[in-house]
Amino acid sequence: MYYTSYRYNQGKPNIAPRSALLDLPETLMRLSFLRSPRVSAAILCGGALAFASPSFAQSAAAADYPTKTITFVVPYAAGGSSDIRSRQIAQKLSIYFGKPVIVENRPGAGGNIGTDYIAKAAPDGHVIGLGNFAPLAVNKALFAKLPFDPATDLLPVAMIERGPLVMSVSINSPAKSAQVLIRNIKAKPGTMSYASGGLGGSHHLAGELFEQNAQLDLVHVAYKGGAPATNDLIAGNVDLMFEWIYAVMPYLKGDSPKLRPLAITSEKRSPLLPDVPTFKELGVPGMEMSNWFGVVAPKGTPPAVIAKLNQAINKAIREPEVTEKITSQGNEVAGGTPEEFGTFIRAESDRWSKLVKTHNIKPE
């Protein structure tokens, strides 16, 4: 390829090869009208800035960020745990950045609608949002087609928290322990059931994992949400259910508990339920799992902006009142780098994609 230049005082085009441009400063210095030290310095500085402009622009963007209101998208309805935590984080970010951070709920399709909105937003850091278990690690395998690719259309910023699930039965169940429950299920294969809040969610996949790893034959009963599933578990219409600690705790305590916890999916026992054994203790391998969420941003968001958000989120989750809320629900404060969160998401995606495909799980 060739470029056209003009000789000074002649006005005649001179065709120069691309390689000549590499010696541009030296070539310019040969021109008589450019021999002034001031002019030469200006040209050389201008050239340096031009070649450094991408990183220079990103650094400038990060230094000024945010320049306007930040929208924090939650792909679930208002009032749930993910919404409450998002509002806590948004409030802290607003204080740190000195700009409003507005939480916007965009529920539907198992978190896909809101997550797609984040993925398609302008990549300048002014639209970020909650990214969690289902849309980031499960739905790509569960749905035949997604409007976004969680692996390529989103950038991890930071993980907020993660928490195990508890396997519970009705307080009136004959199963006083997990060992008894497993023995009863094996004695009547295909007749006992577990409830979930919907296909492909953490309740469901925990049940599938239990069935697979304990070599059981159970019937899955999917409900439209965790509340109706829990109500039927209490009534004895289904035999067991996996649920977050915070959601099941109100039914375990008090003078008349309605549910009995039998096992937990964490690596070690929870301080909130010290008498509940882990599945590893019970001899059921591979049952360690958690429901988790963090913050993600659209692909193309400048690395310096991602770094600034990561620093702020790590600070927010370690504020005493935020930490207390997370741990009081039986969850673990996470944090870490964007790279660590990305590695975790990829591992989760691989794990749950295999389970979904093995058991041929399909959305409703």
Side-chain angles (χ1 to χ4, degrees):
M1 183 178 292
Y2 291 86
Y3 298 85
T4 302
S5 63
Y6 284 83
R7 294 183 185 275
Y8 179 64
N9 279 339
Q10 293 182 17
K12 298 179 181 179
N14 177 45
I15 306 300
R18 178 192 291 267
S19 59
L21 294 180
L22 299 177
D23 298 321
L24 182 59
E26 181 181 348
T27 302
L28 290 173
M29 289 299 294
R30 291 173 184 167
L31 302 179
S32 59
F33 84 108
L34 296 175
R35 289 175 184 165
S36 162
R38 287 186 180 180
V39 175
S40 301
I43 290 173
L44 291 173
C45 289
L49 286 175
F51 282 109
S53 60
S55 58
F56 178 81
Q58 286 191 7
S59 298
D64 294 338
Y65 173 84
T67 59
K68 58 184 178 180
T69 297
I70 297 172
T71 299
F72 193 112
V73 178
V74 179
Y76 300 99
S81 63
S82 58
D83 175 69
I84 292 170
R85 190 75 68 249
S86 296
R87 292 178 188 277
Q88 284 184 304
I89 299 299
Q91 182 185 38
K92 294 298 180 183
L93 295 182
S94 180
I95 293 170
Y96 301 157
F97 292 148
K99 296 287 184 183
V101 181
I102 299 173
V103 173
E104 185 174 311
N105 298 89
R106 288 180 172 265
N112 290 342
I113 291 174
T115 307
D116 180 52
Y117 183 85
I118 300 168
K120 290 181 170 58
D124 59 6
H126 291 96
V127 174
I128 58 177
L130 189 87
N132 76 316
F133 178 80
L136 297 188
V138 179
N139 290 356
K140 187 176 179 180
L142 186 65
F143 290 85
K145 186 177 181 181
L146 284 183
F148 65 94
D149 187 333
T152 59
D153 294 338
L154 294 161
L155 293 177
V157 177
M159 189 190 292
I160 296 172
E161 67 186 274
R162 55 190 297 182
L165 287 81
V166 178
M167 182 178 74
S168 301
V169 296
S170 169
I171 197 68
N172 298 315
S173 169
K176 307 298 182 184
S177 68
Q179 293 94 327
V180 172
L181 177 65
I182 291 172
R183 195 160 55 241
N184 291 346
I185 295 170
K186 289 186 174 181
K188 299 181 288 183
T191 62
M192 295 181 68
S193 59
Y194 70 95
S196 81
L199 286 167
S202 57
H203 312 130
H204 179 199
L205 296 185
E208 292 282 356
L209 196 65
F210 178 51
E211 190 175 7
Q212 171 185 285
N213 293 357
Q215 299 179 356
L216 305 173
D217 184 4
L218 284 164
V219 176
H220 172 224
V221 182
Y223 293 80
K224 292 186 181 297
T230 301
N231 289 337
D232 258 13
L233 178 65
I234 292 170
N237 296 326
V238 287
D239 296 292
L240 65 107
M241 181 178 172
F242 287 83
E243 182 59 285
W244 280 41
I245 292 181
Y246 84 89
V248 78
M249 282 296 287
Y251 304 103
L252 307 180
K253 303 297 183 180
D255 296 332
S256 56
K258 294 178 172 58
L259 296 175
R260 179 183 301 124
L262 300 183
I264 192 167
T265 66
S266 51
E267 294 182 2
K268 57 184 180 180
R269 295 192 183 199
S270 168
L272 296 185
L273 297 170
D275 297 327
V276 179
T278 66
F279 278 94
K280 185 176 181 180
E281 291 178 73
L282 299 171
V284 182
M287 282 299 298
E288 291 77 23
M289 70 170 289
S290 60
N291 210 339
W292 49 267
F293 47 80
V295 177
V296 294
K299 172 188 174 183
T301 302
V305 172
I306 294 291
K308 195 168 185 178
L309 282 165
N310 174 268
Q311 183 180 26
I313 292 162
N314 274 286
K315 181 180 177 181
I317 60 179
R318 283 168 176 78
E319 294 271 14
E321 64 272 29
V322 179
T323 296
E324 192 279 329
K325 287 292 185 182
I326 292 173
T327 56
S328 69
Q329 293 183 339
N331 293 341
E332 172 190 346
V333 176
T337 66
E339 293 76 18
E340 289 168 339
F341 188 26
T343 298
F344 176 82
I345 292 170
R346 287 190 293 274
E348 286 283 278
S349 181
D350 289 345
R351 181 188 190 191
W352 298 114
S353 293
K354 290 175 184 175
L355 187 78
V356 167
K357 292 173 183 176
T358 298
H359 294 271
N360 195 30
I361 301 171
K362 302 293 183 184
E364 294 176 289

